[in-house]
Amino acid sequence: MPRHRTALLIALLAVLAPAAGRAQQVADIEARLEKAERYHEALRTLAGGRVRPVWVPGEEAFVYRAEAGPLAGQWVRVDALRGTSAAIAQESLPPQPSPPGLERLDRRGDTLRILRADGGEAARLVEAPDAGWEVGPRGWHPGRRWLAVGRTDQKGVHTVPVIDYSSPLEQVQPAVYPKSGSPLPVQSIHLVDAVAGGMREISLDTRDAYLWIAGWRGDPAEALVIRMTRTGKALELLAVDPRNGSSRTLVREERPETSVAALDFATGGWVNQVTVLPDGSGFLWFSERDGWRHLYRYGWDGAAPRQLTRGAFPVHRVVRVDSASGQIHVIASADAARPYDQHLYVLPANGGALRTLTREPGMHDVQFSPSGRTFLDVHSTVDRPYATDLRRADGSAIARLEVADTSSLAALGHRPPEPFTARAADGTTAIHGVVYTPADFDPSRRYPVVDYIYAGPFISAVQKEYAPTLGMHRVAASLAQMGLVVVMVDGRGTPGRDKAFQDVTYGRVGQMEIADHVAALRAAAESRPWMDLSRAGIAGHSWGGYFALRGMLTAPEFFRAGYAGAPGDLTELAVINEPHMGMPAENPEGYERGSNLPLAANLAGPLKIMHGTSDVNAPFSTTMRMIGAFIAANRRFDLLVIPGGPHNPPDPAGRFYRQDLRRFMATQLQGIGNRE
């Protein structure tokens, strides 16, 4: 072959070889994208292992619909004392329990009528555009004479515009959205006399406060109302006389230097705060006054409470109070070696040492039979599938009813996440996390690493059960199938531990969480040489999106690429921010230092932001302001806007978003390589 033709061929091969390599890389990414979505769906549809019983009235028996095993798809009746099971026809099912007092409510359109026992009208509640009513499950007095209902007046509360872009003539709808430092809706409690008829409003100071109807004292009748100030610094339990509307304070806790109750309380934790003792002698109350969440027993005079549980562990909720045996059953995390595991414990009604009734490591969710003679124990760990055991009240085993069917995951080469423990950025505090690896994991390779983050005082985000209990777990596990190592960490400031652990970030959200995550990733990589921290990325959704931005802007030398989905901001919902940050006017430095906007010029690596235009959890305006800051700082970024998308876009937009995240991280991190 002539020399010039040989040189030309060599030159042509030099051009084609990289192109062929890139084509192969694209083909590999596309194949991984398809498998990652199948993996996500297999995690979402994992069947069985978690029995949900419907107890048969008057019997120590229940029915449930089997999801795994030889009776899968059938209704099963279980003799709880013997542990025997048998399939039954659907027409043999016992009546489903209905919410208390449902037969006394008549809703027609925007009007709810409260009925007397004879069918007459006791009160009429009419919804209005700026005011609504709430009738909760704890509103009825046990005797059904009285009903406590809540009303929320939203006049004067800030709204965000939700724009419908689906037609050329855009439609704009306002969504009520009280931002940090702006006016709150005004709540009020009303008591209905469902025998004589009529309704009265309770005279309470509800300015800058949140109210919850927590139940009733039986005799004499008193409605129990929880009131929390908007900053969470004061929490009260009030008893209200339905006959005249007068109220008295049973408990008041106040902590000027921090909060008594934070976001996890306001978004659902309040339901576990008060337990009325069945013998009528008083109530149980949760408090972190000694630094840990413990249980206290009060009489109806509210004086001299007795602390029932003590120790360096939190108690999460009361499961059952047995007046006959003088015992209280609680869910707590009292295993120092596994501080997030939740077990069932029993203690004397007057306090004392806890005795564990569930021994297998992991998370336990229990439900007692109405008689209290037996209970169902649903349990798992990140590497042990769900199982439901039937047990006697003393914890002894009767039968294992069901184990999860994991065959769909096994077919995809499922690798459970690997737990690890590290030291926080302070070098002292133990923090916990998990590592997700791809199904085709090869320890001889080096893998890019993604910190899938959800920091802050909102939830403990790390997966602790076999199946993902949060959508972010499915996202993290399926993202690893792109040939990545994905890490999740519960750093300082998250709930589920002691008060001091969460208060590390009190008034300082955004100032130290990233340092904890970087420290955790470095610690995990010390014993895992296949983690390549020179190719580290960060991603998250909602507050995870805020912290993904935070990582890119405060640790640009560590995180090489970032993806922020629907990022939050400290200026958003008052109930989200104020209980852990205080009011903006009282903590201007904390709010300013926690803002991502002034840090826009720090952006160094590739970044993508996703936001839905109809998001009313983290409004689209948050991303618009961030975009403005990047433009002003002359920093480039990518953007995915989902028209009409809510905070968590449903499929098919949700699938597009998941695939976009996977594609972005795989291409950016696998193409970045080591930096000199």
mmCIF file of all heavy atoms in Angstrom, residues 374-404:
data_model
loop_
_atom_site.group_PDB
_atom_site.id
_atom_site.type_symbol
_atom_site.label_atom_id
_atom_site.label_comp_id
_atom_site.label_asym_id
_atom_site.label_seq_id
_atom_site.Cartn_x
_atom_site.Cartn_y
_atom_site.Cartn_z
ATOM 1 N N THR A 374 -52.770 -10.365 71.386
ATOM 2 C CA THR A 374 -51.814 -10.670 70.330
ATOM 3 C C THR A 374 -51.472 -9.392 69.573
ATOM 4 O O THR A 374 -52.185 -8.384 69.669
ATOM 5 C CB THR A 374 -52.372 -11.708 69.336
ATOM 6 O OG1 THR A 374 -53.570 -11.182 68.747
ATOM 7 C CG2 THR A 374 -52.671 -13.029 70.030
ATOM 8 N N PHE A 375 -50.381 -9.444 68.812
ATOM 9 C CA PHE A 375 -50.064 -8.320 67.941
ATOM 10 C C PHE A 375 -49.337 -8.807 66.701
ATOM 11 O O PHE A 375 -48.717 -9.882 66.697
ATOM 12 C CB PHE A 375 -49.251 -7.244 68.665
ATOM 13 C CG PHE A 375 -47.854 -7.631 69.062
ATOM 14 C CD1 PHE A 375 -46.777 -7.457 68.189
ATOM 15 C CD2 PHE A 375 -47.584 -8.144 70.328
ATOM 16 C CE1 PHE A 375 -45.478 -7.791 68.563
ATOM 17 C CE2 PHE A 375 -46.290 -8.478 70.716
ATOM 18 C CZ PHE A 375 -45.239 -8.305 69.830
ATOM 19 N N LEU A 376 -49.417 -8.010 65.641
ATOM 20 C CA LEU A 376 -48.697 -8.267 64.415
ATOM 21 C C LEU A 376 -47.445 -7.407 64.386
ATOM 22 O O LEU A 376 -47.499 -6.219 64.698
ATOM 23 C CB LEU A 376 -49.562 -7.961 63.181
ATOM 24 C CG LEU A 376 -50.462 -9.102 62.697
ATOM 25 C CD1 LEU A 376 -51.631 -9.271 63.660
ATOM 26 C CD2 LEU A 376 -50.984 -8.815 61.298
ATOM 27 N N ASP A 377 -46.339 -8.011 64.004
ATOM 28 C CA ASP A 377 -45.042 -7.344 63.958
ATOM 29 C C ASP A 377 -44.519 -7.391 62.526
ATOM 30 O O ASP A 377 -44.120 -8.446 62.034
ATOM 31 C CB ASP A 377 -44.080 -8.057 64.914
ATOM 32 C CG ASP A 377 -42.648 -7.544 64.811
ATOM 33 O OD1 ASP A 377 -42.464 -6.398 64.348
ATOM 34 O OD2 ASP A 377 -41.725 -8.284 65.205
ATOM 35 N N VAL A 378 -44.539 -6.239 61.852
ATOM 36 C CA VAL A 378 -43.983 -6.122 60.503
ATOM 37 C C VAL A 378 -42.571 -5.577 60.647
ATOM 38 O O VAL A 378 -42.371 -4.506 61.224
ATOM 39 C CB VAL A 378 -44.831 -5.179 59.632
ATOM 40 C CG1 VAL A 378 -44.242 -5.071 58.231
ATOM 41 C CG2 VAL A 378 -46.278 -5.658 59.570
ATOM 42 N N HIS A 379 -41.575 -6.291 60.126
ATOM 43 C CA HIS A 379 -40.192 -5.867 60.367
ATOM 44 C C HIS A 379 -39.316 -6.154 59.155
ATOM 45 O O HIS A 379 -39.606 -7.018 58.328
ATOM 46 C CB HIS A 379 -39.629 -6.574 61.608
ATOM 47 C CG HIS A 379 -39.687 -8.077 61.538
ATOM 48 N ND1 HIS A 379 -38.670 -8.840 61.023
ATOM 49 C CD2 HIS A 379 -40.664 -8.950 61.905
ATOM 50 C CE1 HIS A 379 -39.000 -10.118 61.089
ATOM 51 N NE2 HIS A 379 -40.205 -10.214 61.618
ATOM 52 N N SER A 380 -38.209 -5.394 59.065
ATOM 53 C CA SER A 380 -37.217 -5.594 58.007
ATOM 54 C C SER A 380 -35.983 -4.764 58.320
ATOM 55 O O SER A 380 -35.991 -3.916 59.221
ATOM 56 C CB SER A 380 -37.783 -5.188 56.640
ATOM 57 O OG SER A 380 -37.818 -3.778 56.514
ATOM 58 N N THR A 381 -34.925 -5.002 57.568
ATOM 59 C CA THR A 381 -33.746 -4.142 57.532
ATOM 60 C C THR A 381 -33.463 -3.850 56.063
ATOM 61 O O THR A 381 -34.171 -4.340 55.177
ATOM 62 C CB THR A 381 -32.515 -4.824 58.162
ATOM 63 O OG1 THR A 381 -32.208 -6.008 57.393
ATOM 64 C CG2 THR A 381 -32.767 -5.214 59.605
ATOM 65 N N VAL A 382 -32.419 -3.076 55.782
ATOM 66 C CA VAL A 382 -32.127 -2.770 54.379
ATOM 67 C C VAL A 382 -31.756 -4.022 53.598
ATOM 68 O O VAL A 382 -31.925 -4.060 52.368
ATOM 69 C CB VAL A 382 -30.997 -1.721 54.254
ATOM 70 C CG1 VAL A 382 -31.451 -0.371 54.768
ATOM 71 C CG2 VAL A 382 -29.726 -2.184 54.945
ATOM 72 N N ASP A 383 -31.268 -5.086 54.266
ATOM 73 C CA ASP A 383 -30.890 -6.302 53.548
ATOM 74 C C ASP A 383 -31.708 -7.524 53.963
ATOM 75 O O ASP A 383 -31.386 -8.648 53.567
ATOM 76 C CB ASP A 383 -29.393 -6.597 53.739
ATOM 77 C CG ASP A 383 -28.994 -6.739 55.206
ATOM 78 O OD1 ASP A 383 -29.868 -6.609 56.078
ATOM 79 O OD2 ASP A 383 -27.797 -6.965 55.466
ATOM 80 N N ARG A 384 -32.780 -7.331 54.746
ATOM 81 C CA ARG A 384 -33.669 -8.434 55.104
ATOM 82 C C ARG A 384 -35.090 -8.059 54.704
ATOM 83 O O ARG A 384 -35.647 -7.081 55.206
ATOM 84 C CB ARG A 384 -33.610 -8.716 56.615
ATOM 85 C CG ARG A 384 -34.332 -10.008 57.010
ATOM 86 C CD ARG A 384 -34.333 -10.241 58.510
ATOM 87 N NE ARG A 384 -35.253 -9.362 59.204
ATOM 88 C CZ ARG A 384 -34.908 -8.468 60.103
ATOM 89 N NH1 ARG A 384 -33.646 -8.289 60.416
ATOM 90 N NH2 ARG A 384 -35.819 -7.713 60.696
ATOM 91 N N PRO A 385 -35.694 -8.840 53.787
ATOM 92 C CA PRO A 385 -37.031 -8.463 53.279
ATOM 93 C C PRO A 385 -38.076 -8.408 54.385
ATOM 94 O O PRO A 385 -37.932 -9.014 55.450
ATOM 95 C CB PRO A 385 -37.344 -9.578 52.273
ATOM 96 C CG PRO A 385 -36.013 -10.134 51.884
ATOM 97 C CD PRO A 385 -35.149 -10.015 53.115
ATOM 98 N N TYR A 386 -39.153 -7.690 54.089
ATOM 99 C CA TYR A 386 -40.268 -7.576 55.024
ATOM 100 C C TYR A 386 -40.823 -8.944 55.385
ATOM 101 O O TYR A 386 -40.961 -9.839 54.539
ATOM 102 C CB TYR A 386 -41.401 -6.756 54.412
ATOM 103 C CG TYR A 386 -41.129 -5.276 54.354
ATOM 104 C CD1 TYR A 386 -40.773 -4.673 53.150
ATOM 105 C CD2 TYR A 386 -41.226 -4.482 55.483
ATOM 106 C CE1 TYR A 386 -40.526 -3.317 53.079
ATOM 107 C CE2 TYR A 386 -40.984 -3.125 55.429
ATOM 108 C CZ TYR A 386 -40.625 -2.544 54.224
ATOM 109 O OH TYR A 386 -40.374 -1.207 54.167
ATOM 110 N N ALA A 387 -41.158 -9.097 56.659
ATOM 111 C CA ALA A 387 -41.875 -10.269 57.141
ATOM 112 C C ALA A 387 -42.865 -9.800 58.194
ATOM 113 O O ALA A 387 -42.637 -8.797 58.874
ATOM 114 C CB ALA A 387 -40.919 -11.305 57.729
ATOM 115 N N THR A 388 -43.973 -10.521 58.305
ATOM 116 C CA THR A 388 -44.961 -10.227 59.346
ATOM 117 C C THR A 388 -45.085 -11.428 60.262
ATOM 118 O O THR A 388 -45.405 -12.538 59.812
ATOM 119 C CB THR A 388 -46.331 -9.893 58.744
ATOM 120 O OG1 THR A 388 -46.225 -8.717 57.943
ATOM 121 C CG2 THR A 388 -47.346 -9.637 59.853
ATOM 122 N N ASP A 389 -44.817 -11.207 61.548
ATOM 123 C CA ASP A 389 -44.933 -12.249 62.561
ATOM 124 C C ASP A 389 -46.130 -11.956 63.447
ATOM 125 O O ASP A 389 -46.380 -10.802 63.821
ATOM 126 C CB ASP A 389 -43.671 -12.309 63.422
ATOM 127 C CG ASP A 389 -42.453 -12.778 62.640
ATOM 128 O OD1 ASP A 389 -42.643 -13.488 61.645
ATOM 129 O OD2 ASP A 389 -41.323 -12.399 63.015
ATOM 130 N N LEU A 390 -46.832 -13.008 63.787
ATOM 131 C CA LEU A 390 -47.923 -12.932 64.758
ATOM 132 C C LEU A 390 -47.361 -13.344 66.110
ATOM 133 O O LEU A 390 -46.742 -14.406 66.243
ATOM 134 C CB LEU A 390 -49.065 -13.859 64.331
ATOM 135 C CG LEU A 390 -50.286 -13.937 65.234
ATOM 136 C CD1 LEU A 390 -50.959 -12.583 65.367
ATOM 137 C CD2 LEU A 390 -51.274 -14.980 64.697
ATOM 138 N N ARG A 391 -47.558 -12.478 67.132
ATOM 139 C CA ARG A 391 -46.968 -12.721 68.443
ATOM 140 C C ARG A 391 -48.006 -12.549 69.550
ATOM 141 O O ARG A 391 -48.977 -11.818 69.397
ATOM 142 C CB ARG A 391 -45.794 -11.763 68.694
ATOM 143 C CG ARG A 391 -44.645 -11.920 67.710
ATOM 144 C CD ARG A 391 -43.488 -10.993 68.048
ATOM 145 N NE ARG A 391 -42.391 -11.158 67.110
ATOM 146 C CZ ARG A 391 -41.447 -12.100 67.211
ATOM 147 N NH1 ARG A 391 -41.489 -12.946 68.240
ATOM 148 N NH2 ARG A 391 -40.496 -12.194 66.321
ATOM 149 N N ARG A 392 -47.738 -13.214 70.672
ATOM 150 C CA ARG A 392 -48.533 -12.994 71.878
ATOM 151 C C ARG A 392 -48.110 -11.679 72.514
ATOM 152 O O ARG A 392 -47.069 -11.120 72.186
ATOM 153 C CB ARG A 392 -48.350 -14.150 72.849
ATOM 154 C CG ARG A 392 -48.794 -15.497 72.286
ATOM 155 C CD ARG A 392 -48.539 -16.631 73.267
ATOM 156 N NE ARG A 392 -48.853 -17.917 72.643
ATOM 157 C CZ ARG A 392 -47.994 -18.628 71.929
ATOM 158 N NH1 ARG A 392 -46.738 -18.189 71.774
ATOM 159 N NH2 ARG A 392 -48.358 -19.768 71.386
ATOM 160 N N ALA A 393 -48.890 -11.202 73.449
ATOM 161 C CA ALA A 393 -48.627 -9.909 74.077
ATOM 162 C C ALA A 393 -47.276 -9.865 74.769
ATOM 163 O O ALA A 393 -46.680 -8.794 74.906
ATOM 164 C CB ALA A 393 -49.735 -9.563 75.071
ATOM 165 N N ASP A 394 -46.742 -11.007 75.191
ATOM 166 C CA ASP A 394 -45.429 -11.031 75.844
ATOM 167 C C ASP A 394 -44.285 -11.088 74.843
ATOM 168 O O ASP A 394 -43.122 -11.177 75.229
ATOM 169 C CB ASP A 394 -45.339 -12.202 76.820
ATOM 170 C CG ASP A 394 -45.454 -13.568 76.127
ATOM 171 O OD1 ASP A 394 -45.548 -13.609 74.884
ATOM 172 O OD2 ASP A 394 -45.452 -14.595 76.843
ATOM 173 N N GLY A 395 -44.595 -11.066 73.553
ATOM 174 C CA GLY A 395 -43.575 -11.080 72.517
ATOM 175 C C GLY A 395 -43.258 -12.450 71.962
ATOM 176 O O GLY A 395 -42.530 -12.555 70.963
ATOM 177 N N SER A 396 -43.750 -13.510 72.566
ATOM 178 C CA SER A 396 -43.457 -14.858 72.076
ATOM 179 C C SER A 396 -44.139 -15.092 70.734
ATOM 180 O O SER A 396 -45.230 -14.590 70.461
ATOM 181 C CB SER A 396 -43.904 -15.907 73.096
ATOM 182 O OG SER A 396 -45.297 -15.796 73.342
ATOM 183 N N ALA A 397 -43.468 -15.892 69.888
ATOM 184 C CA ALA A 397 -43.927 -16.082 68.510
ATOM 185 C C ALA A 397 -45.070 -17.081 68.427
ATOM 186 O O ALA A 397 -45.087 -18.097 69.126
ATOM 187 C CB ALA A 397 -42.762 -16.545 67.650
ATOM 188 N N ILE A 398 -46.023 -16.772 67.552
ATOM 189 C CA ILE A 398 -47.112 -17.691 67.237
ATOM 190 C C ILE A 398 -46.929 -18.245 65.828
ATOM 191 O O ILE A 398 -46.934 -19.454 65.613
ATOM 192 C CB ILE A 398 -48.485 -16.994 67.356
ATOM 193 C CG1 ILE A 398 -48.712 -16.499 68.780
ATOM 194 C CG2 ILE A 398 -49.605 -17.944 66.934
ATOM 195 C CD1 ILE A 398 -49.982 -15.670 68.951
ATOM 196 N N ALA A 399 -46.738 -17.351 64.852
ATOM 197 C CA ALA A 399 -46.589 -17.797 63.470
ATOM 198 C C ALA A 399 -46.006 -16.677 62.626
ATOM 199 O O ALA A 399 -46.170 -15.498 62.941
ATOM 200 C CB ALA A 399 -47.935 -18.243 62.894
ATOM 201 N N ARG A 400 -45.285 -17.066 61.577
ATOM 202 C CA ARG A 400 -44.881 -16.107 60.543
ATOM 203 C C ARG A 400 -45.921 -16.178 59.435
ATOM 204 O O ARG A 400 -46.156 -17.245 58.860
ATOM 205 C CB ARG A 400 -43.493 -16.412 60.018
ATOM 206 C CG ARG A 400 -43.076 -15.526 58.852
ATOM 207 C CD ARG A 400 -41.573 -15.409 58.727
ATOM 208 N NE ARG A 400 -41.026 -14.630 59.837
ATOM 209 C CZ ARG A 400 -39.730 -14.315 59.958
ATOM 210 N NH1 ARG A 400 -38.862 -14.706 59.047
ATOM 211 N NH2 ARG A 400 -39.307 -13.612 60.998
ATOM 212 N N LEU A 401 -46.532 -15.049 59.119
ATOM 213 C CA LEU A 401 -47.661 -15.040 58.195
ATOM 214 C C LEU A 401 -47.241 -14.826 56.745
ATOM 215 O O LEU A 401 -47.825 -15.420 55.839
ATOM 216 C CB LEU A 401 -48.651 -13.937 58.593
ATOM 217 C CG LEU A 401 -49.267 -14.067 59.986
ATOM 218 C CD1 LEU A 401 -50.182 -12.884 60.253
ATOM 219 C CD2 LEU A 401 -50.030 -15.372 60.131
ATOM 220 N N GLU A 402 -46.251 -13.982 56.527
ATOM 221 C CA GLU A 402 -45.927 -13.659 55.144
ATOM 222 C C GLU A 402 -44.521 -13.072 55.069
ATOM 223 O O GLU A 402 -44.070 -12.381 55.996
ATOM 224 C CB GLU A 402 -46.945 -12.661 54.580
ATOM 225 C CG GLU A 402 -46.846 -12.446 53.085
ATOM 226 C CD GLU A 402 -48.048 -11.669 52.541
ATOM 227 O OE1 GLU A 402 -49.177 -12.196 52.595
ATOM 228 O OE2 GLU A 402 -47.853 -10.543 52.064
ATOM 229 N N VAL A 403 -43.833 -13.353 53.973
ATOM 230 C CA VAL A 403 -42.522 -12.779 53.670
ATOM 231 C C VAL A 403 -42.595 -12.177 52.279
ATOM 232 O O VAL A 403 -43.234 -12.729 51.379
ATOM 233 C CB VAL A 403 -41.408 -13.840 53.735
ATOM 234 C CG1 VAL A 403 -40.056 -13.227 53.350
ATOM 235 C CG2 VAL A 403 -41.332 -14.466 55.118
ATOM 236 N N ALA A 404 -41.949 -11.032 52.088
ATOM 237 C CA ALA A 404 -42.031 -10.329 50.811
ATOM 238 C C ALA A 404 -41.488 -11.186 49.668
ATOM 239 O O ALA A 404 -40.528 -11.944 49.826
ATOM 240 C CB ALA A 404 -41.251 -9.022 50.885
#
